Amino acid sequence: MTVQTPITQALQDGTITRRELKTLMQRSDRPGLTRLIGWILTVAITGTLVWMSMGTWWLLPAMFVHGIVLVHHFSLQHECCHYTAFKTRWLNDFFGNICGLIIFLPNRHFRYEHCDHHTYTQLKGKDPELIELPISVWKYLAYISAFPFWRMKFTEIARHVVGRLSDDEKRFIPKEEYATVFWEARIMVLFYLALLILCIATGWTAPLYYWFIPVFLGEPVMRAIRLTEHVGRPNISDMKENTRTNLVTWPMQFLCWNMNYHAEHHYAASVPFFALPELHEKLKDHVYIEKRGYLGAHIDIISQLIGIKPRSDAPSEPAR
Amino acid sequence: MTSVKREKVWQDVIAVADLERGDATPVTFGRRELAIYDTQDGITVSLARCTHGAANLCDGYFDGIHIECPLHQGLFDARTGAAKAAPARIGLKMIEARVENGIVQIFI
């Protein structure tokens, strides 16, 4: 069987020409490095808020805001795993691993998992990142709490530390990369353990207040954002339907490295983040767009959960 | 019965003017899918499918030297076919090529 990439499908669609797409696929170091400077400044500002609020009731809200920024390291890591954040390939590997260390997401494993997510987007039993439409509002809230996510991720890392993969992982991780996946998990865990020992031995608490607690406080926001990408869209391979683009405010667009243009990203994952607004202009009448942004996407999802709208995963009526 | 092996000859594939400048052009030659690369060092030709996941490499990102698979971002040197980054491990099957009178030819 001939392997078809999403880009092949996009080109067959005829909405965009091969020349246009190849132009948009051009990479550059400058936009990524420029945004990275802004990124580091943002982390420094929210980190300063935490510092200023030490010993006050404002500490928890400050750590929450800082955490929202920290969990968005996922967006940079995601861009790096596509090798589109920077033109220089090793910069993508370097920053992808740093981001993965910050948010406890091993980079190489994520890269392969995410590749299959793009190949089999929204297809049950095939898409390794598929988030099923919850069966109830309670399950929806449980997902947003991030507890199921952390349980799954920590189990995954533990499995890799002991040199094991699940059957699903064996499907999307190439055999040649098993050792890399095991060793990146071991190195990450060794790093966290070394840091923990250092903190206990010296009484150093900064990693707790500026890193760990904020990440755990902020992760529910990331879970809520990840829900808006595909949940509530049909479980079919048609990229025009299975993904949701959300029109969001510029601070959120900055934080997510333009990944709110998610349908455009799935249309052509090789298009770098800085070219997605231009791709959006070309595809905006062709892909599914939620003009009310993340909030609108959640209204759509909840409407399906409480029966105001038909569920996207409901079996279609048999033809009469 | 003895099979007679056909002699390799130079065969026309595509006009240079029809190539995607500085990029990888997909061409079907008989039953073969070829990738024709306009590299920094001249025109080269390989079988178009990635040796790892079988995606057509012409849909991937090309920087004038390396072609990146659109499916898993494995990397190959388009001048030699050498696999350069995981998950690509096996090199590309390169086909000897030349340009004659504005036409890309392969020795096949």
Side-chain angles (χ1 to χ4, degrees), chain A residues 27 79-86 89 92-93 111, chain B residues 73:
Chain A
R27 295 178 185 174
E79 193 68 18
C80 287
C81 96
H82 284 289
Y83 290 96
T84 45
F86 309 100
R89 193 170 163 104
N92 293 288
D93 285 328
R111 181 181 147 200
Chain B
Q73 285 80 46

Side-chain angles (χ1 to χ4, degrees), chain A residues 132-143:
Chain A
E132 300 249 14
L133 180 67
I135 53 168
S136 67
V137 174
W138 290 114
K139 289 282 182 189
Y140 160 84
L141 292 174
Y143 180 82

Side-chain angles (χ1 to χ4, degrees), chain A residues 2-3 5 7-8 11 18 22 25 27 81-83 87 89 108 111-112 115-116 119 174 176-177, chain B residues 20 23-24 26 49 52-55 58-61 68 70-75 85-87 89:
Chain A
T2 304
V3 172
T5 64
I7 286 186
T8 318
L11 290 169
R18 187 174 172 84
K22 285 283 189 171
M25 278 167 61
R27 295 178 185 174
C81 96
H82 284 289
Y83 290 96
K87 182 176 183 177
R89 193 170 163 104
R108 190 61 71 97
R111 181 181 147 200
Y112 288 121
C115 285
D116 257 30
T119 309
E176 303 88 345
E177 290 286 82
Chain B
E20 293 177 29
D23 212 327
R49 294 280 163 180
H52 166 247
C58 296
D59 292 343
Y61 174 71
E68 186 187 274
L71 211 51
H72 297 101
Q73 285 80 46
L75 206 65
R89 284 285 186 273

Side-chain angles (χ1 to χ4, degrees), chain B residues 8-17 19 29 34-37 41-46 94-108:
Chain B
K8 281 186 177 182
V9 290
W10 287 102
Q11 301 200 48
D12 292 350
V13 180
I14 187 173
V16 173
L19 290 179
F29 184 79
L34 304 179
I36 306 192
Y37 309 99
D41 298 340
I43 306 290
T44 60
V45 178
S46 79
M94 302 300 287
I95 300 169
E96 197 178 343
R98 70 181 184 187
V99 175
E100 281 288 301
N101 301 318
I103 304 287
V104 178
Q105 296 182 326
I106 55 174
F107 194 55
I108 198 162

Side-chain angles (χ1 to χ4, degrees), chain A residues 176-246:
Chain A
E176 303 88 345
E177 290 286 82
Y178 285 4
T180 311
V181 166
F182 298 150
W183 277 105
E184 77 173 345
R186 288 165 189 159
I187 290 167
M188 282 175 77
V189 169
L190 279 175
F191 176 82
Y192 299 136
L193 284 176
L195 186 65
L196 187 68
I197 290 166
L198 181 72
C199 288
I200 292 169
T202 63
W204 187 40
T205 56
L208 204 59
Y209 291 106
Y210 293 95
W211 180 7
F212 296 134
I213 296 175
V215 164
F216 288 112
L217 288 175
E219 189 58 36
V221 174
M222 180 50 69
R223 289 303 98 208
I225 291 173
R226 296 299 311 274
L227 273 178
T228 68
E229 295 170 346
H230 302 286
V231 177
R233 300 303 304 152
N235 298 101
I236 57 174
S237 61
D238 185 350
M239 291 178 296
K240 297 189 292 298
E241 294 297 332
N242 65 16
T243 306
R244 186 190 281 113
T245 276
N246 296 287

Side-chain angles (χ1 to χ4, degrees), chain A residues 26-312:
Chain A
Q26 291 312 301
R27 295 178 185 174
S28 170
D29 284 335
R30 187 185 287 262
L33 291 171
T34 308
R35 185 171 285 220
L36 194 59
I37 292 169
W39 188 262
I40 291 166
L41 280 173
T42 307
V43 172
I45 289 168
T46 54
T48 305
L49 287 179
V50 174
W51 177 71
M52 288 169 68
S53 62
M54 283 289 176
T56 74
W57 288 102
W58 288 103
L59 179 59
L60 202 64
M63 285 196 296
F64 178 60
V65 172
H66 185 51
I68 291 173
V69 175
L70 289 187
V71 295
H72 274 89
H73 279 93
F74 172 77
S75 303
L76 172 56
Q77 183 179 14
H78 165 261
E79 193 68 18
C80 287
C81 96
H82 284 289
Y83 290 96
T84 45
F86 309 100
K87 182 176 183 177
T88 307
R89 193 170 163 104
W90 70 264
L91 283 176
N92 293 288
D93 285 328
F94 179 75
F95 286 109
N97 278 294
I98 300 262
C99 292
L101 199 63
I102 292 170
I103 59 169
F104 313 105
L105 189 64
N107 194 52
R108 190 61 71 97
H109 178 269
F110 171 63
R111 181 181 147 200
Y112 288 121
E113 183 187 73
H114 195 67
C115 285
D116 257 30
H117 165 61
H118 273 271
T119 309
Y120 303 111
T121 307
Q122 278 293 78
L123 300 183
K124 289 187 181 186
K126 285 185 160 185
D127 177 354
E129 291 183 7
L130 178 75
I131 307 169
E132 300 249 14
L133 180 67
I135 53 168
S136 67
V137 174
W138 290 114
K139 289 282 182 189
Y140 160 84
L141 292 174
Y143 180 82
I144 290 179
S145 75
F147 283 113
F149 170 77
W150 287 123
R151 191 175 58 228
M152 184 182 75
K153 282 297 154 194
F154 288 138
T155 307
E156 207 171 83
I157 291 174
R159 188 164 60 233
H160 300 161
V161 166
V162 296
R164 291 215 308 261
L165 295 170
S166 69
D167 288 342
D168 278 349
E169 287 171 330
K170 284 177 186 165
R171 190 168 50 74
F172 62 75
I173 301 173
K175 275 203 174 89
E176 303 88 345
E177 290 286 82
Y178 285 4
T180 311
V181 166
F182 298 150
W183 277 105
E184 77 173 345
R186 288 165 189 159
I187 290 167
M188 282 175 77
V189 169
L190 279 175
F191 176 82
Y192 299 136
L193 284 176
L195 186 65
L196 187 68
I197 290 166
L198 181 72
C199 288
I200 292 169
T202 63
W204 187 40
T205 56
L208 204 59
Y209 291 106
Y210 293 95
W211 180 7
F212 296 134
I213 296 175
V215 164
F216 288 112
L217 288 175
E219 189 58 36
V221 174
M222 180 50 69
R223 289 303 98 208
I225 291 173
R226 296 299 311 274
L227 273 178
T228 68
E229 295 170 346
H230 302 286
V231 177
R233 300 303 304 152
N235 298 101
I236 57 174
S237 61
D238 185 350
M239 291 178 296
K240 297 189 292 298
E241 294 297 332
N242 65 16
T243 306
R244 186 190 281 113
T245 276
N246 296 287
L247 301 186
V248 300
T249 56
W250 71 263
M252 294 312 286
Q253 195 165 323
F254 169 78
L255 282 181
C256 74
W257 291 65
N258 296 350
M259 210 38 63
N260 57 301
Y261 295 124
H262 210 68
E264 293 81 354
H265 168 65
H266 270 265
Y267 219 80
S270 311
V271 171
F273 73 95
F274 57 85
L276 282 177
E278 198 180 334
L279 184 60
H280 170 71
E281 286 305 312
K282 290 184 190 298
L283 298 179
K284 64 184 176 188
D285 297 325
H286 197 64
V287 294
Y288 184 85
I289 293 172
E290 175 53 70
K291 290 182 178 165
R292 300 169 296 175
Y294 294 146
L295 196 61
H298 281 274
I299 291 170
D300 180 27
I301 293 167
I302 293 168
S303 299
Q304 294 185 35
L305 300 185
I306 61 177
I308 294 176
K309 288 177 73 176
R311 289 178 63 94
S312 60

Side-chain angles (χ1 to χ4, degrees), chain B residues 14-96:
Chain B
I14 187 173
V16 173
D18 293 333
L19 290 179
E20 293 177 29
R21 217 175 152 81
D23 212 327
T25 308
V27 173
T28 303
F29 184 79
R31 283 187 302 173
R32 291 184 178 89
E33 290 178 287
L34 304 179
I36 306 192
Y37 309 99
D38 182 11
T39 79
Q40 290 176 4
D41 298 340
I43 306 290
T44 60
V45 178
S46 79
L47 295 184
R49 294 280 163 180
C50 176
T51 55
H52 166 247
N56 192 317
L57 292 169
C58 296
D59 292 343
Y61 174 71
F62 183 58
D63 66 1
I65 297 174
H66 297 110
I67 182 75
E68 186 187 274
C69 176
L71 211 51
H72 297 101
Q73 285 80 46
L75 206 65
F76 300 93
D77 188 323
R79 300 165 302 179
T80 63
K84 288 291 179 184
R89 284 285 186 273
I90 300 164
L92 293 175
K93 167 75 177 163
M94 302 300 287
I95 300 169
E96 197 178 343

